[in-house]
Amino acid sequence: MGSLTKTKISEEFKNEIKEHFNDITKETGGFVELKELKEALDQVGFKLPGYQVRLMIDEFGNKQKLKTPGKLNYNEFEQICVDLKAKEVASTFKQVVSKKENLETLGGMSDSSAAGTTHSVRLEEQISFSEWINSNLLHDQDLKHLLPIDPEGKSLYEKIKDGILLCKLINHSCPDTIDERAINKKNLTVYTKFENLTLALVSSSAIGCNIVNIDAHDLAKGKPHLVLGLLWQIIRVGLFSHITLDSCPGLATLINDDERLEDLMKLSPEAILLRWVNHHLERAGIQRRCNNFTTDISDSEIYSYLLKQIAPAEAGVTMEAIHEPHLIHRAEAMLQQAAKLNCRSFVTPQDVVNGVYKLNLAFVANLFNNHPGLDKPDQIEGLEGIEETREEKTYRNWMNSMGVKPYVNWLYSDLADGLVIFQLFDIIKPGSVNWQRVHQRFSPLRKFMEKLENCNYAVELGKQQKFSLVGIAGQDISDGNATLTLAIIWQLMRAYTLSVLSQLANTGSATVDKEIVNWVNKKLQTAGKETGIKNFQDSSISNAKVVLDLIDAIKPGSINYELVVEGEDFEEKLTNAKYAISMARKIGARVYALPEDITEVKPKMVMTVFACLMALDYVPNVDSVNSTPVVTASTEPIIAEPSTEIANDSNGVSDF
């Protein structure tokens, strides 16, 4: 095997390790305890006997002293996995894993990668996601030519190629994200299908999905590992969107005696679900507790008690499953009880026994959404100040779409250690962060001071970037001061938008608001449009006509003006704004603003809309046969039109 091939395999393999490591360490502060190494290696795909794991720990400990006694950080864990791979221990066990865990290994999707790069596609995810789509979208008349997907999900990758299914799934997870009028539904050509895929991809980013390294070309080719990754993110967003106090006030009953409401909101959706499961186990009088959605649920006992506890009496849910000695049969009996609640989704008996993390997490989230079984408190103190605002949600989705780690669930607590802010600075201006000054791991005794030092450095970086940070100190970020934290996040988002614009415009200097306004008016005038703006507070923006005209100026003929209304009242203005946002995304503009931001003329968000459209206009038209998406500074795609080669290729069957 050549060195280049080895490098490709190593890079792909390390990406898989990173994904598994993040899942494994969600609740352990980024460490794998040595006593849990065997379980961690099991999840990565190395099914090793206990004695071999013990030898490995001893050998690793002799060669290199652990930075944290008894625990492995990511670099140390990765080294163990890479060593296993290098010694070809993995090859002995990978065949076993493929049979036991339903993995299918695919070669690269192009001539350049087919020789060495492989991607593991979990067939259980393929089946599970297909079933979820069938059960939730089957009756949509726009999808009757696509659904149902076959039970094994083999046709899934072909079915998503016209983009309609993805658009519909996004709206199922986050209603009204995409204006249905923007979706091409009839007499589809290769190009109009590509427009739909672009609309779906950019819209998924707007709801917080990380689409770095995915573009519409990948979806048009039906690349399985990328399709499944995107589908999981979209489905997860929908499942987790209901795990909020707004959707379920009864969550307040999960607060411990020494906690406040904001302490609950600091928890990740996974942690809240674990607390919810254990709440019902306690109410059922069961001593056992659930600490994860992998090994702890594999015997179906916790699920059986949970189902019995949350089920209405008339549902007839029983505990008969726990009397079944065979684990697979027990899991099947348990799922039959879940079916009585119309919640037999995502998992098969084998998925339960194998402890497949994603699918079991989805199974529990779906149970929560349909049968939370929580009594609403008579009064929830502090609820008014804890519910996520529209502005907070927009910023959170933007950050998550940038691929920051960890995933941002609650703005103020998840930014309080400064690490997400540093990642954003590094995306905006690569190399601007001196990572030697950043505390990436926190010691138990000094963590408060270490986090504060991070936040002080974050403010220092902001000042270096000419942010307006008068009166803002690191303590404000560390304390989660809402007003001041939002101020720095907005400036990060603005800096990102303008940095992308400046790079595409190749100006060498930061673009300012006045330049954007001048560009808008010049573009409209050149296209013969009658609209224009004075600034980003211009009240005429509220009916969205100027945005629609600008989109049509950038891409002539893209706007169907028969769908545009006068905008004389709020509802008409909102109708236009919804159409404008979706059409902007359809032509490839990375717009995070919401329709209400236009109708209410929120100057900050309005600026980002025009800046994103301006950036798109700087992308040159690509007519060559080998055209590819134009990539922004953060390696995120602004989609160019499909080339002849892509058009021809898209009519064929995917490589899968």
Side-chain angles (χ1 to χ4, degrees):
M1 184 181 292
S3 61
L4 178 61
T5 299
K6 286 183 179 179
T7 300
K8 287 181 179 177
I9 290 177
S10 178
E11 289 173 353
E12 180 64 34
F13 181 58
K14 287 181 179 179
N15 287 335
E16 292 182 14
I17 295 173
K18 185 69 173 177
E19 181 179 349
H20 286 295
F21 184 86
N22 289 336
D23 287 343
I24 294 165
T25 60
K26 280 182 183 294
E27 299 155 22
T28 59
F31 288 91
V32 172
E33 295 191 6
L34 286 180
K35 63 183 179 181
E36 296 174 354
L37 178 59
K38 185 178 186 304
E39 177 184 333
L41 290 174
D42 282 350
Q43 291 195 41
V44 175
F46 298 118
K47 300 290 186 179
L48 304 178
Y51 78 90
Q52 194 166 353
V53 175
R54 288 192 294 274
L55 288 173
M56 198 184 316
I57 293 172
D58 292 339
E59 182 180 357
F60 188 83
N62 291 333
K63 286 183 178 178
Q64 180 179 347
K65 186 177 180 181
L66 296 176
K67 291 185 177 180
T68 305
K71 297 181 179 181
L72 295 170
N73 63 26
Y74 171 71
N75 291 332
E76 293 162 342
F77 182 73
E78 180 191 72
Q79 187 60 53
I80 286 180
C81 295
V82 170
D83 287 346
L84 283 173
K85 190 78 169 179
K87 294 173 184 177
E88 296 186 349
V89 176
S91 62
T92 304
F93 293 92
K94 208 161 188 180
Q95 296 174 7
V96 178
V97 176
S98 295
K99 292 178 182 177
K100 286 186 177 180
E101 296 194 1
N102 229 1
L103 288 176
E104 181 157 335
T105 302
L106 306 176
M109 302 298 291
S110 65
D111 293 338
S112 62
S113 66
T117 303
T118 60
H119 303 286
S120 294
V121 173
R122 289 189 173 274
L123 298 183
E124 63 262 32
E125 291 182 12
Q126 174 181 300
I127 294 169
S128 174
F129 299 164
S130 298
E131 186 274 333
W132 178 254
I133 290 169
N134 284 340
S135 62
N136 287 279
L137 299 177
L138 184 61
H139 301 296
D140 191 313
Q141 291 302 303
D142 294 327
L143 298 175
K144 61 183 179 182
H145 66 295
L146 298 172
L147 302 182
I149 301 168
D150 65 282
E152 294 184 2
K154 291 182 178 180
S155 63
L156 173 63
Y157 312 105
E158 190 68 30
K159 297 295 180 72
I160 62 96
K161 286 186 177 181
D162 69 8
I164 300 176
L165 182 54
L166 284 173
C167 289
K168 294 284 188 173
L169 186 62
I170 289 169
N171 274 350
H172 178 268
S173 286
C174 290
D176 296 325
T177 297
I178 297 175
D179 190 320
E180 292 266 343
R181 296 172 295 174
I183 305 173
N184 300 321
K185 299 178 181 179
K186 297 179 179 179
N187 304 318
L188 296 179
T189 65
V190 170
Y191 179 63
T192 55
K193 291 178 183 179
F194 200 85
E195 282 187 322
N196 283 345
L197 291 172
T198 301
L199 173 59
L201 197 60
V202 180
S203 297
S204 67
S205 175
I207 63 173
C209 298
N210 175 13
I211 63 167
V212 174
N213 299 325
I214 308 175
D215 62 39
H217 297 75
D218 297 320
L219 300 178
K221 291 179 179 178
K223 293 187 178 182
H225 66 291
L226 295 179
V227 170
L228 291 179
L230 180 61
L231 288 176
W232 166 241
Q233 290 191 78
I234 296 170
I235 291 170
R236 182 182 62 184
V237 166
L239 290 172
F240 287 179
S241 67
H242 301 291
I243 308 176
T244 64
L245 282 165
D246 186 38
S247 297
C248 181
L251 278 174
T253 61
L254 302 183
I255 299 173
N256 294 328
D257 292 338
D258 58 344
E259 290 181 329
R260 297 174 300 172
L261 202 57
E262 49 264 39
D263 294 319
L264 182 69
M265 300 311 298
K266 292 177 182 178
L267 299 176
S268 68
E270 294 94 330
I272 292 176
L273 288 174
L274 282 171
R275 187 174 287 200
W276 173 71
V277 171
N278 290 326
H279 169 79
H280 283 299
L281 292 176
E282 183 178 3
R283 291 185 64 185
I286 306 303
Q287 295 299 314
R288 187 174 175 182
R289 294 295 179 264
C290 183
N291 298 305
N292 58 61
F293 294 121
T294 52
T295 55
D296 281 7
I297 50 79
S298 61
D299 63 5
S300 297
E301 286 189 5
I302 284 175
Y303 281 163
S304 295
Y305 287 114
L306 175 64
L307 289 168
K308 178 64 175 176
Q309 187 65 29
I310 65 175
E314 62 272 16
V317 170
T318 69
M319 294 292 298
E320 62 186 63
I322 64 172
H323 303 299
E324 172 57 58
H326 191 278
L327 288 182
I328 292 291
H329 296 162
R330 185 188 302 168
E332 170 59 31
M334 178 275 295
L335 289 174
Q336 289 177 10
Q337 303 307 311
K340 296 178 181 179
L341 301 178
N342 294 317
C343 287
R344 182 167 186 162
S345 299
F346 293 110
V347 291
T348 64
Q350 192 70 56
D351 299 332
V352 175
V353 174
N354 287 349
V356 179
Y357 173 74
K358 285 182 183 177
L359 302 187
N360 280 281
L361 176 63
F363 174 70
V364 175
N366 189 50
L367 279 175
F368 173 88
N369 291 337
N370 286 280
H371 299 279
L374 299 173
D375 298 326
K376 181 179 179 180
D378 295 332
Q379 186 175 1
I380 306 176
E381 293 184 10
L383 180 60
E384 298 77 13
I386 210 72
E387 292 180 279
E388 188 176 45
T389 66
R390 196 173 73 214
E391 183 183 19
E392 291 166 347
K393 186 174 184 179
T394 299
Y395 292 153
R396 182 171 58 83
N397 285 340
W398 169 67
M399 288 186 282
N400 287 327
S401 75
M402 295 289 102
V404 297
K405 300 293 182 183
Y407 191 90
V408 179
N409 295 296
W410 181 239
L411 212 55
Y412 308 108
S413 62
D414 292 350
L415 269 60
D417 61 11
L419 294 178
V420 168
I421 295 175
F422 291 132
Q423 293 172 62
L424 293 171
F425 273 122
D426 212 38
I427 290 170
I428 295 165
K429 188 177 181 180
S432 62
V433 178
N434 179 2
W435 289 100
Q436 297 299 317
R437 290 187 58 182
V438 176
H439 298 284
Q440 299 186 58
R441 304 290 182 198
F442 303 104
S443 58
L445 297 179
R446 294 196 70 251
K447 63 181 180 180
F448 175 79
M449 287 304 301
E450 289 168 345
K451 291 180 179 181
L452 181 58
E453 287 170 5
N454 276 359
C455 293
N456 286 333
Y457 180 39
V459 172
E460 181 183 327
L461 284 174
K463 291 178 179 177
Q464 291 174 13
Q465 300 295 325
K466 309 300 182 185
F467 286 11
S468 176
L469 299 176
V470 177
I472 300 179
Q475 185 79 49
D476 298 312
I477 302 172
S478 182
D479 290 345
N481 181 297
T483 302
L484 301 182
T485 300
L486 288 176
I488 194 169
I489 296 171
W490 156 243
Q491 292 183 78
L492 282 164
M493 186 176 186
R494 183 179 188 276
Y496 168 76
T497 304
L498 296 182
S499 71
V500 171
L501 179 54
S502 296
Q503 290 186 41
L504 290 171
N506 199 24
T507 60
S509 60
T511 305
V512 296
D513 292 4
K514 185 177 179 181
E515 292 178 64
I516 301 174
V517 172
N518 289 339
W519 170 82
V520 169
N521 290 326
K522 184 177 179 181
K523 190 72 180 179
L524 291 167
Q525 185 178 13
T526 302
K529 306 294 184 181
E530 296 180 356
T531 51
I533 60 172
K534 298 174 183 176
N535 49 49
F536 300 134
Q537 295 88 20
D538 193 324
S539 61
S540 68
I541 295 171
S542 66
N543 64 18
K545 286 185 177 181
V546 66
V547 182
L548 291 163
D549 280 347
L550 187 58
I551 294 167
D552 200 65
I554 294 170
K555 198 171 191 62
S558 58
I559 299 299
N560 180 356
Y561 281 95
E562 292 182 359
L563 301 176
V564 180
V565 294
E566 285 302 314
E568 295 180 350
D569 56 32
F570 178 79
E571 290 302 321
E572 286 191 348
K573 290 177 180 179
L574 189 61
T575 297
N576 283 348
K578 288 179 178 179
Y579 185 46
I581 293 291
S582 288
M583 289 306 300
R585 292 170 180 164
K586 185 176 179 178
I587 65 172
R590 294 294 299 276
V591 173
Y592 291 89
L594 298 173
E596 292 83 356
D597 295 324
I598 294 177
T599 57
E600 297 170 15
V601 195
K602 299 291 186 182
K604 292 178 180 179
M605 289 295 110
V606 166
M607 185 281 289
T608 65
V609 172
F610 287 124
C612 288
L613 289 168
M614 185 177 177
L616 186 72
D617 194 48
Y618 278 122
V619 178
N621 291 324
V622 183
D623 297 318
S624 65
V625 170
N626 294 317
S627 72
T628 56
V630 179
V631 179
T632 70
S634 67
T635 71
E636 298 186 38
I638 293 179
I639 308 300
E641 295 186 11
S643 67
T644 305
E645 180 183 26
I646 294 168
N648 291 335
D649 182 59
S650 294
N651 284 326
V653 179
S654 70
D655 294 330
F656 182 70

